[in-house]
Amino acid sequence: MAAHDTLSLWENFYVIVGSSAGALTGLQFVVIALVAESELRTGRRELDAFGTPTIVHFCVVLLVSAILSAPWPTLSGAASAVGICAAAGVVYSLVVVRRARRTTVYKPVMEDWIFHVCLPLIAYVVLAGAAATLPRYHIPALFGIGAIALLLLFVGIHNAWDTVTYVAIDMRQSPTRNEGAPAAPAATKQAPSG
């Protein structure tokens, strides 16, 4: 079976996954805008360790979707392109480890290490393996690449949601900007008696 015929079977999958990644990339910009407007103390190190990787993962999903939607004459060309993305992803994941260790305003918890470091690193390593096997074992390799694309998409969704909930909860519980005391609780309305 020709490369184009093999990859065309996955076209709808990558249109859905790639479009989702593109749309979620735009929504992550909204998340970052919310963080910037919040009263929370946030630093460049935290953004580099926790915000930027989410954008990178969404963009990798979009790029892999575009690569596998292209009319490649051979699977080895597609495999090489996906393999380069995977190798760059492994290197970038190691950079994220270093950045997460250097954060000063926020200290990562176990969930952060899992979703911001471990799962993406595993995903990029498996993606590299799937890319290497694509020319010879295209069916399992394509399922592997598809699974990794979904994993990176869900990791990005989790990380964006985690950021939004962190901002929403801490905005309500953070001290006022000019004083060191907690903000006064919001007044509650009482039902009229009688």
Side-chain angles (χ1 to χ4, degrees):
M1 185 181 286
H4 179 69
D5 294 337
T6 300
L7 295 176
S8 67
L9 298 172
W10 286 85
E11 189 172 350
N12 287 338
F13 175 82
Y14 285 111
V15 165
I16 293 168
V17 172
S19 299
S20 298
L24 290 167
T25 300
L27 287 176
Q28 182 65 8
F29 288 106
V30 174
V31 170
I32 298 304
L34 288 173
V35 171
E37 290 180 9
S38 75
E39 295 177 0
L40 292 177
R41 293 180 314 139
T42 178
R44 179 70 187 182
R45 289 181 177 180
E46 284 71 25
L47 183 61
D48 288 345
F50 303 111
T52 304
T54 301
I55 294 290
V56 170
H57 303 324
F58 286 148
C59 289
V60 167
V61 172
L62 181 59
L63 181 58
V64 167
S65 296
I67 289 169
L68 292 180
S69 296
W72 293 93
T74 64
L75 288 176
S76 61
S80 296
V82 171
I84 291 168
C85 290
V90 168
V91 170
Y92 185 71
S93 293
L94 297 174
V95 169
V96 170
V97 170
R98 191 182 87 234
R99 288 177 177 173
R101 294 175 126 194
R102 291 183 176 177
T103 58
T104 55
V105 176
Y106 174 79
K107 289 298 175 193
V109 296
M110 180 62 71
E111 181 182 354
D112 297 322
W113 288 110
I114 291 170
F115 280 92
H116 289 276
V117 175
C118 296
L119 288 176
L121 182 58
I122 291 167
Y124 291 122
V125 168
V126 172
L127 184 61
T133 61
L134 181 59
R136 296 195 81 203
Y137 305 103
H138 62 273
I139 292 174
L142 286 170
F143 275 99
I145 293 169
I148 293 308
L150 284 175
L151 176 62
L152 288 171
L153 192 64
F154 288 127
V155 162
I157 291 168
H158 170 273
N159 294 347
W161 177 253
D162 194 42
T163 302
V164 169
T165 56
Y166 178 75
V167 169
I169 291 169
D170 282 359
M171 278 179 63
R172 293 182 187 270
Q173 298 174 355
S174 67
T176 59
R177 234 183 275 177
N178 297 328
E179 303 171 9
T188 56
K189 289 188 175 185
Q190 295 180 351
S193 57

